[in-house]
Amino acid sequence: MGDSLSPEEKVELITRNLQEVLGEDKLKEILKERELKIYWGTATTGKPHVAYFVPMSKIADFLKAGCEVTILFADLHAYLDNMKAPWDLLELRTRYYEQVIQAMLLSIGVPLERLRFIRGTEYQLSKEYTLDVYRLSSVVTQHDAKKAGAEVVKQVEHPLLSGLLYPGLQALDEEYLKVDAQFGGVDQRKIFTFAEKYLPALGYTKRIHLMNPMVPGLTGGKMSSSEEESKIDLLDSPADVKKKLKKAFCEPGNIENNGVLSFTRHVLFPLKSEFVVLRDEKYGGNKTYTDFETLEKDFAEELVHPGDLKASVEKALNKLLDPIREKFATPEMRKLSNGAYPDPSKQKSVSKGPVKNSAPEELDPSLLDLRVGKVLTVSRHPDADSLYVQSVDVGEENPRSVVSGLVKYVSADELLGRSVVLLCNLKPQKMRGVESQGMLMCASMEGENKQVEPLDPPAESAPGERVFVEGHEQGQPEPELKPKKKVFEKLQVDFRISNDLCAQWKEKNIRTKLGPVTCKTLKGGSIS
């Protein structure tokens, strides 16, 4: 297909659905002369899950555009990333990745003969590559190496030197694979800019970088191999898929951090030209959508029920997974899967080194930048009837724009002029085209008639005043919470409203210097 496309059409196909492109002018110049050479790499660590269909669908786009595509199984990277893949399992996991990625590509109709597959250890242990690692280490600062890997390499209290080498190796891969561009998730951005800075220092060309959006998991955060409930494994049975989708967060009309809705956007729509919502005839029968925006609008306006959306995603997903399950049903593939990812309950206890590297991270609520805010203006979202757009004074030079799903629960008049509690260090994100720069904290009670109330700071509290948990006043908030770490999600499970209507974390009051934060009526409610 690539031969019949103009350079402009190839650029459109290569960049569609991407979140960011670094070097688009260079991309256009290359396509005027020849086909683009691009690679996508994956470290062979945790079991690939359904979110891997996102890069797979882009690889299909690259091939349709005539690109020469290389897939790198980064086995050495997997070991360097805090030993996520132990050396004795590295070979088995790499073989598993090779088999399952190829099965995924065949499932979506990608011809394997047009791809080049390579393992990192096929060239990363050579004399020339090793010397370049040493050359790179002589010009890269420890600060830059740590910063580059912050979103990708596992972060621990006492980081290993191997994690600092990781970004340098990924940069050198661009040169040794002889490509024009590297493709990855937007969480790789710091490594990509690291490569753009340091490859020229070794006399090598700066490459193009193409970035996909990160796919929210079923719990609302990033879909992760290491968090069982946030992802659907490629070999999960239809019953397991149904069970995980049933538990998935998918509140009626709520399009914020909706993992099921996001899955249709980032996985199902790019792979198919349409998506069918299955409905009983008495509710209007099946409805076919040809674009995500219309589906999102209908869901926000509660024209699509969460149960129907989940059932429809379940059917579409099982259709993608069936050929992969079939391949791995053979005795040979089952043996490979069990060997690469042995059941932990059947393993002997083996020391993995210092306890400090493996202990769960202890999170402190002071990491959250909670402040008193005052709502200055309230208006309906122009494209979503269930959302408000509020301007909130939090003591900064300019008010913050905040999108909230409170239309069903709180009138605009009740919000206007009200003092609220705002979480200010979430990463800003667009909600139906409007950027939200914070989260308005509310108490809620689930049930047939769900109730939601904004939290109330003490009377006379000033905008910008700090909100904290008793006993945790001394800690400093993170400048911006990293979505990958799910700091808020992990802390949020212990937020509750007490019987005397005080907001609490682990039974300690949430307060300002003037007194406790409260809510009006929702005893025992959760806080989010």
Side-chain angles (χ1 to χ4, degrees):
M1 179 179 173
D3 293 340
S4 62
L5 298 177
S6 68
E8 292 76 19
E9 289 171 325
K10 291 178 181 179
V11 170
E12 173 66 26
L13 192 53
I14 289 168
T15 60
R16 74 169 179 176
N17 292 327
L18 294 180
Q19 182 161 326
E20 188 174 4
V21 178
L22 300 177
E24 189 166 354
D25 289 342
K26 185 176 181 181
L27 169 66
K28 293 174 181 177
E29 288 302 312
I30 290 173
L31 289 172
K32 289 176 183 176
E33 304 294 328
R34 58 174 173 82
E35 306 298 359
L36 188 74
K37 298 176 182 178
I38 186 169
Y39 100 88
W40 172 74
T42 180
T44 54
T45 53
K47 289 182 83 172
H49 46 81
V50 294
Y52 277 60
F53 277 116
V54 178
M56 297 303 103
S57 67
K58 276 311 301 177
I59 287 169
D61 282 347
F62 298 150
L63 290 174
K64 289 173 187 172
C67 299
E68 297 176 23
V69 181
T70 296
I71 292 181
L72 168 67
F73 296 106
D75 47 357
L76 196 54
H77 288 74
Y79 181 71
L80 290 175
D81 188 359
N82 209 54
M83 295 182 290
K84 281 185 181 176
W87 197 258
D88 57 336
L89 292 180
L90 203 55
E91 168 65 21
L92 288 171
R93 289 198 176 174
T94 304
R95 281 172 50 204
Y96 179 87
Y97 263 70
E98 289 171 341
Q99 293 295 330
V100 83
I101 294 293
Q102 290 181 21
M104 291 181 75
L105 289 163
L106 289 172
S107 169
I108 63 172
V110 173
L112 299 184
E113 63 273 11
R114 293 183 56 198
L115 294 163
R116 175 172 71 129
F117 297 95
I118 189 169
R119 295 186 183 192
T121 47
E122 290 179 37
Y123 64 91
Q124 290 167 347
L125 301 177
S126 68
K127 177 182 176 181
E128 295 77 15
Y129 190 95
T130 303
L131 286 174
D132 268 344
V133 171
Y134 288 135
R135 288 177 63 207
L136 197 58
S137 68
S138 71
V139 295
V140 173
T141 65
Q142 182 263 358
H143 171 271
D144 282 2
K146 185 177 180 181
K147 179 182 175 184
E151 298 285 341
V152 177
V153 178
K154 184 178 179 182
Q155 301 297 298
V156 293
E157 185 181 353
H158 298 278
L160 301 172
L161 178 60
S162 58
L164 299 178
L165 294 174
Y166 190 110
L169 268 65
Q170 188 167 334
L172 288 172
D173 289 340
E174 297 178 349
E175 174 64 24
Y176 279 79
L177 292 173
K178 302 301 178 188
V179 295
D180 306 305
Q182 183 179 173
F183 164 61
V186 75
D187 61 337
Q188 304 269 333
R189 193 182 195 282
K190 290 178 181 176
I191 290 183
F192 291 166
T193 55
F194 172 94
E196 293 190 7
K197 177 179 179 179
Y198 283 107
L199 276 190
L202 299 186
Y204 297 140
T205 305
K206 182 168 75 171
R207 264 61 179 195
I208 300 159
H209 294 101
L210 311 171
M211 284 166 273
N212 247 348
M214 301 309 296
V215 178
L218 298 176
T219 54
K222 176 187 170 186
M223 195 176 288
S224 167
S225 297
S226 59
E227 301 205 18
E228 193 63 31
E229 290 304 314
S230 81
K231 54 95 179 180
I232 295 174
D233 188 90
L234 293 166
L235 303 183
D236 274 349
S237 67
D240 286 334
V241 172
K242 181 183 287 291
K243 179 182 175 183
K244 289 181 178 179
L245 281 171
K246 189 175 181 180
K247 289 183 178 180
F249 175 78
C250 190
E251 187 178 55
N254 190 342
I255 59 174
E256 300 177 38
N257 290 320
N258 186 325
V260 181
L261 193 62
S262 295
F263 190 80
T264 66
R265 176 179 187 175
H266 295 298
V267 177
L268 299 178
F269 272 104
L271 291 177
K272 304 287 183 181
S273 59
E274 62 182 33
F275 176 70
V276 180
V277 173
L278 307 172
R279 296 189 300 194
D280 194 288
E281 287 296 332
K282 64 182 179 182
Y283 298 118
N286 297 351
K287 182 168 182 180
T288 300
Y289 291 89
T290 56
D291 63 88
F292 172 75
E293 289 72 23
T294 306
L295 173 62
E296 183 185 44
K297 183 174 183 293
D298 281 1
F299 188 87
E301 295 173 3
E302 299 191 27
L303 299 176
V304 174
H305 189 274
D308 294 334
L309 181 65
K310 288 182 178 183
S312 308
V313 168
E314 179 187 340
K315 180 177 180 180
L317 180 55
N318 278 319
K319 191 172 181 180
L320 290 175
L321 296 179
D322 279 341
I324 304 171
R325 294 178 185 130
E326 184 178 349
K327 175 174 180 172
F328 277 81
T330 65
E332 180 187 4
M333 289 295 103
R334 282 203 301 267
K335 182 179 178 182
L336 173 60
S337 179
N338 293 335
Y341 299 95
D343 186 343
S345 65
K346 297 177 181 178
Q347 300 299 300
K348 294 179 181 178
S349 179
V350 179
S351 174
K352 293 185 178 179
V355 174
K356 288 180 179 177
N357 270 342
S358 56
E361 187 180 6
E362 201 60 46
L363 291 176
D364 191 289
S366 63
L367 295 171
L368 304 179
D369 184 4
L370 292 166
R371 303 185 216 166
V372 174
K374 184 171 183 178
V375 180
L376 304 179
T377 63
V378 184
S379 60
R380 288 290 187 97
H381 192 294
D383 296 316
D385 290 343
S386 63
L387 301 178
Y388 284 130
V389 180
Q390 297 121 147
S391 175
V392 183
D393 178 6
V394 288
E396 297 171 333
E397 184 177 351
N398 296 307
R400 293 196 179 203
S401 175
V402 178
V403 180
S404 67
L406 293 175
V407 171
K408 287 172 57 178
Y409 310 105
V410 185
S411 71
D413 288 342
E414 287 179 273
L415 282 174
L416 187 62
R418 182 177 186 146
S419 290
V420 294
V421 176
L422 201 72
L423 177 57
C424 294
N425 58 342
L426 289 174
K427 187 174 183 178
Q429 60 177 335
K430 287 195 174 181
M431 302 293 185
R432 295 292 300 275
V434 177
E435 185 173 78
S436 184
Q437 299 165 332
M439 179 189 290
L440 200 152
M441 302 299 290
C442 296
S444 63
M445 290 286 282
E446 299 295 333
E448 188 173 339
N449 295 310
K450 181 177 178 180
Q451 300 175 72
V452 179
E453 295 177 2
L455 296 183
D456 294 315
E460 309 304 322
S461 295
E465 201 166 296
R466 188 180 177 196
V467 177
F468 56 87
V469 175
E470 286 180 348
H472 297 267
E473 298 92 331
Q474 302 306 314
Q476 290 300 311
E478 287 281 316
E480 183 176 281
L481 297 176
K482 294 181 172 62
K484 186 175 182 180
K485 290 188 175 182
K486 297 187 178 178
V487 173
F488 174 72
E489 290 84 351
K490 291 173 182 176
L491 290 167
Q492 187 260 341
V493 296
D494 292 307
F495 284 126
R496 284 288 180 276
I497 301 297
S498 69
N499 288 332
D500 56 357
L501 296 174
C502 289
Q504 296 186 332
W505 180 78
K506 290 190 174 181
E507 300 183 353
K508 296 178 181 178
N509 282 348
I510 300 170
R511 55 176 295 130
T512 72
K513 63 184 181 182
L514 297 179
V517 172
T518 60
C519 95
K520 288 185 170 52
T521 66
L522 303 182
K523 293 181 182 179
S526 59
I527 299 173
S528 59

